[in-house]
Amino acid sequence: MIQAHIPDRVLDNARDRQRTVEPGLTEAEAKRIARELRAGIDHLQDKEYRKQLHQRLREIAAAQDMDLPSPDTRSTFWSYRLEDHPQINREPGEELYSIHMAAAYTEAQNSIVPDTLRYLEGTPGGEALGRLHLWDAEMQDALGLDEKAGLALAYDAWGALSEKYAAKTENEALFFMPELNPRTVAYQTESRQLRQDGKLDIINFMYPAPTHNYTDLAPETQELLASQAVRAQIHTFSYDEHDEKYTPLTKAGHLDLQQLAALPTPEAQRAAVLEVCARVATMDGPARAADVEKLIEEIKVLRPDHEVTLPSIEDQQWAAGLRGSEPTGPPPVAVSTHGQYLPGVTVNARTGPALLESVTLPAPEKAAVSAHSFLPGVSPQAKSVVAPSRTDTPTAPPKAPPAPEQSNDTGMGV
């Protein structure tokens, strides 16, 4: 786990940034910016106008130069606020928002060696988008948008810039957050972009994992959940499928801690965590196909009587659309190792039964060796698994911080 030293001067800098109140956007300036953004589309009907405005802002974000200033430059990502850190003494009741921590830490690192680190809002592209003041109520009024539509526009534009920022990240990615929240750009866009580009191993968290939530779990499971690789994929927040920020990735990456604690052995708990990782890896696409295979192999060894359910083809198509591509070849199938109990189907409480295709089970010893190196935690123990013949086995949200326009942040992390 990252136990980064945060000097007092960085903490003081973050506090100063958080206390700083930026000059308000004047009505005249808001109207000037709005005229440029509305040019050529302000005559359109409301629905089409909003659609074109979103497209225009995405194009502005896509046009920004997000290249690394140096081949060795690392990148910071942030979300919400600092909950805990072994080397930071917060004042009683103090809330430190992670955007200010990331900015202050970046400034301190670059004062030693220039271009050591970067953060989105401090890049030329981030500064350019920031000058549009999309989070300001005055700007939203000038664009003819109510609060809900104005925030949606700001989220969309900053999300597009965040995606490009993550895509250009090549070195260490420092995440200023204790865990990923499914309602944030950090989960839905940035970490996803890094993973699907094959960069899971460069993600490191600057804050400790919320281990106080894991006290009912086996020690091995707690260690697994605190690992960088698992933290970069899963989330443990409840969610509502009718929430406007819900996506199929929200469902794929959800780990229910109560259900996990109810499992009887560390092996079963590990298998459950790996299954969530396998679902996320499936959504991440071709770059992680080998990870999916390794994870499923280990799950079979750890829990041979368990049904492994991967995302539906519809959810995989949604994820492929984000990558600008369609799935190639047949999608991964749910893996059944107890076909005699529910022949031919896998039951998912949310999506209902789905037909299975046949699979060939690998030798447990081979699965253990090939899969275990992917994620840390308990050591899998090979069990004697008798693979059924092909004829016997059927084809087988915590509360968000204040809205960005209220807290002087750009909203990248919410």
Side-chain angles (χ1 to χ4, degrees):
M1 179 189 301
I2 294 293
Q3 299 288 350
H5 175 62
I6 308 293
D8 289 342
R9 63 189 177 90
V10 172
L11 186 59
D12 291 339
N13 186 345
R15 287 177 174 138
D16 290 342
R17 289 170 178 269
Q18 189 161 304
R19 285 192 292 261
T20 300
V21 179
E22 297 180 1
L25 182 67
T26 65
E27 183 178 355
E29 182 67 5
K31 289 181 177 180
R32 182 193 67 78
I33 298 172
R35 279 195 301 271
E36 296 178 2
L37 295 177
R38 295 172 64 119
I41 61 173
D42 55 358
H43 66 284
L44 298 174
Q45 293 295 320
D46 187 60
K47 183 176 181 180
E48 183 62 22
Y49 164 71
R50 293 187 182 190
K51 178 181 177 182
Q52 292 297 323
L53 189 59
H54 275 255
Q55 179 61 29
R56 179 163 292 180
L57 266 300
R58 284 195 294 268
E59 290 173 355
I60 290 174
Q64 301 304 316
D65 181 3
M66 302 303 291
D67 288 345
L68 297 174
S70 162
D72 298 324
T73 301
R74 299 173 295 155
S75 302
T76 66
F77 299 81
W78 64 268
S79 179
Y80 288 138
R81 56 184 174 269
L82 174 64
E83 299 290 347
D84 189 22
H85 196 288
Q87 297 175 345
I88 289 182
N89 294 318
R90 291 182 301 151
E91 298 172 0
E94 181 180 26
E95 293 183 340
L96 289 172
Y97 286 94
S98 292
I99 179 176
H100 307 302
M101 291 296 296
Y105 189 78
T106 297
E107 181 178 292
Q109 293 292 300
N110 289 343
S111 68
I112 302 171
V113 179
D115 295 332
T116 294
L117 203 58
R118 65 174 184 162
Y119 73 106
L120 177 65
E121 293 77 8
T123 63
E127 292 175 348
L129 194 59
R131 287 193 290 270
L132 298 183
H133 300 278
L134 297 177
W135 297 110
D136 288 41
E138 292 81 4
M139 191 68 247
Q140 296 164 6
D141 290 341
L143 290 171
L145 304 175
D146 58 24
E147 182 181 15
K148 182 177 180 181
L151 290 177
L153 178 68
Y155 281 123
D156 195 21
W158 279 98
L161 190 68
S162 297
E163 185 172 36
K164 187 171 184 180
Y165 175 82
K168 293 291 186 176
T169 295
E170 296 294 338
N171 304 302
E172 188 177 30
L174 301 179
F175 275 53
F176 282 79
M177 60 200 76
E179 58 184 326
L180 292 172
N181 184 312
R183 291 177 54 81
T184 64
V185 171
Y187 185 78
Q188 296 289 345
T189 300
E190 294 164 340
S191 60
R192 170 184 58 78
Q193 182 69 50
L194 290 168
R195 293 192 311 265
Q196 72 184 32
D197 289 345
K199 300 172 184 175
L200 173 65
D201 60 340
I202 73 172
I203 298 176
N204 285 310
F205 287 79
M206 293 292 285
Y207 302 161
T211 52
H212 58 278
N213 294 332
Y214 309 153
T215 54
D216 294 333
L217 304 173
E220 299 93 331
T221 307
Q222 295 183 39
E223 180 185 353
L224 178 63
L225 292 177
S227 69
Q228 301 293 326
V230 171
R231 294 172 71 186
Q233 299 179 79
I234 71 165
H235 75 85
T236 61
F237 297 94
S238 60
Y239 62 89
D240 180 359
E241 292 191 6
H242 300 291
D243 189 296
E244 61 184 8
K245 291 187 178 181
Y246 166 83
T247 71
L249 182 59
T250 305
K251 177 175 64 178
H254 179 243
L255 177 68
D256 189 313
L257 291 178
Q258 288 187 336
Q259 292 181 7
L260 186 64
L263 295 175
T265 64
E267 291 79 10
Q269 291 182 2
R270 179 180 176 87
V273 174
L274 298 191
E275 182 171 352
V276 177
C277 293
R279 292 202 300 262
V280 171
T282 300
M283 297 288 277
D284 289 340
R288 303 202 59 207
D291 290 344
V292 176
E293 182 179 355
K294 291 178 181 179
L295 288 164
I296 290 177
E297 287 178 352
E298 183 170 350
I299 294 167
K300 292 179 194 175
V301 174
L302 294 168
R303 205 174 176 192
D305 60 341
H306 176 67
E307 193 88 37
V308 179
T309 305
L310 299 181
S312 67
I313 183 60
E314 292 79 13
D315 287 352
Q316 292 181 55
Q317 288 173 337
W318 170 86
L322 295 180
R323 299 189 298 272
S325 62
E326 292 298 323
T328 56
V333 297
V335 180
S336 173
T337 54
H338 58 82
Q340 299 301 323
Y341 177 61
L342 288 175
V345 299
T346 175
V347 178
N348 182 299
R350 293 184 183 272
T351 61
L355 293 177
L356 297 175
E357 296 181 8
S358 62
V359 295
T360 302
L361 301 180
E365 295 82 1
K366 178 183 177 182
V369 171
S370 63
H372 178 59
S373 61
F374 179 69
L375 290 171
V378 302
S379 300
Q381 299 179 4
K383 301 179 180 179
S384 177
V385 180
V386 179
S389 68
R390 299 180 72 90
T391 56
D392 291 336
T393 303
T395 15
K399 183 177 180 182
E405 70 277 13
Q406 297 173 331
S407 60
N408 294 325
D409 66 36
T410 63
M412 180 186 72
V414 295

